[in-house]
Amino acid sequence: MTLPVQNARASTALQRAFSTVGRYRPQLDEVIVPVAVVAELAETGELPIQRRATATGTVPAVPAQQAYIRFETPPGIIARIDHVIMRPTSGSSVGVFGFGSTLAAPGTLAVKQFMDGRLRERGEAPGCNLGFDTLAAGVAAPSGAWMGSNAVINSQVTVPQLHGAIVGRRSIEDFIEVTWGANNIAVLFSWVWTEFLSTP
């Protein structure tokens, strides 16, 4: 025996989703049957909001200093690193990264923005920051490294070890610190991440 759906939102969502006209009387079957989702029938009919963000910048070449990049999540925000690309303008493509904060805060923040235009339209900005600077010493206790050529110039370097990394804590900040493997090298970088609200 089927049960009538006593809510007009179900028929309204079907009419909007499939541009149909007429009267619909949805019913629920009391028998559980497997189904496949063929369409998103949310009230708005829009794609779900994607809190994917990006930031890019260039660490300048400084004698006796290494390029330094730090990704930071504020308390209550969890971030999944989707993609990390870096390109040295000369010299080495070897670098190290570590989780946590062991180095001084960088002096410059990269320009960041959401990749979903609906969030930009509402004036929202990502909660995470991507800072950069130069330091005399690299990450002291690295969690990982990427090994490239010592003579790669203007060649894009991806860091697959960081792709999919989850950064963030409920009550305090969290960090990924990256330093380049040689001094006096300018590094162009671009990071992409997705932000999620941590459960309380």
Side-chain angles (χ1 to χ4, degrees):
M1 178 176 177
T2 58
L3 303 174
V5 176
Q6 301 292 329
N7 191 322
R9 286 183 300 173
S11 15
T12 302
L14 286 169
Q15 288 170 331
R16 287 183 181 171
F18 300 110
S19 300
T20 58
V21 294
R23 186 175 175 195
Y24 290 89
R25 293 177 59 96
Q27 296 179 332
L28 293 177
D29 197 331
E30 292 185 286
V31 178
I32 297 174
V33 294
V35 298
V37 176
V38 295
E40 169 61 53
L41 299 182
E43 187 67 26
T44 62
E46 295 181 355
L47 293 171
I49 295 289
Q50 298 289 322
R51 302 190 70 80
R52 203 168 191 219
T54 184
T56 187
T58 302
V59 184
V62 176
Q65 300 263 313
Q66 292 184 25
Y68 169 44
I69 300 165
R70 181 166 88 168
F71 181 80
E72 174 183 347
T73 61
I77 297 292
I78 304 295
R80 181 189 64 226
I81 307 301
D82 297 324
H83 206 59
V84 175
I85 300 173
M86 291 185 280
R87 180 168 66 90
T89 57
S90 64
S92 172
S93 65
V94 178
V96 298
F97 62 88
F99 296 97
S101 178
T102 62
L103 302 170
T108 306
L109 293 178
V111 176
K112 59 184 181 178
Q113 66 179 176
F114 281 118
M115 300 173 79
D116 191 323
R118 293 166 294 181
L119 296 176
R120 297 194 305 275
E121 183 180 35
R122 296 195 311 225
E124 293 190 32
C128 300
N129 286 312
L130 191 61
F132 60 98
D133 213 330
T134 59
L135 295 174
V139 175
S143 304
W146 65 91
M147 304 297 178
S149 166
N150 284 326
V152 174
I153 299 174
N154 289 323
S155 177
Q156 177 175 295
V157 177
T158 60
V159 186
Q161 297 93 324
L162 289 178
H163 299 171
I166 305 298
V167 190
R169 302 179 187 186
R170 293 180 181 176
S171 57
I172 59 173
E173 297 87 356
D174 201 10
F175 306 89
I176 296 176
E177 295 179 323
V178 175
T179 52
W180 209 252
N183 293 338
N184 198 24
I185 294 177
V187 177
L188 287 70
F189 62 87
S190 178
W191 289 45
V192 177
W193 68 91
T194 304
E195 296 186 358
F196 305 90
L197 182 63
S198 173
T199 53

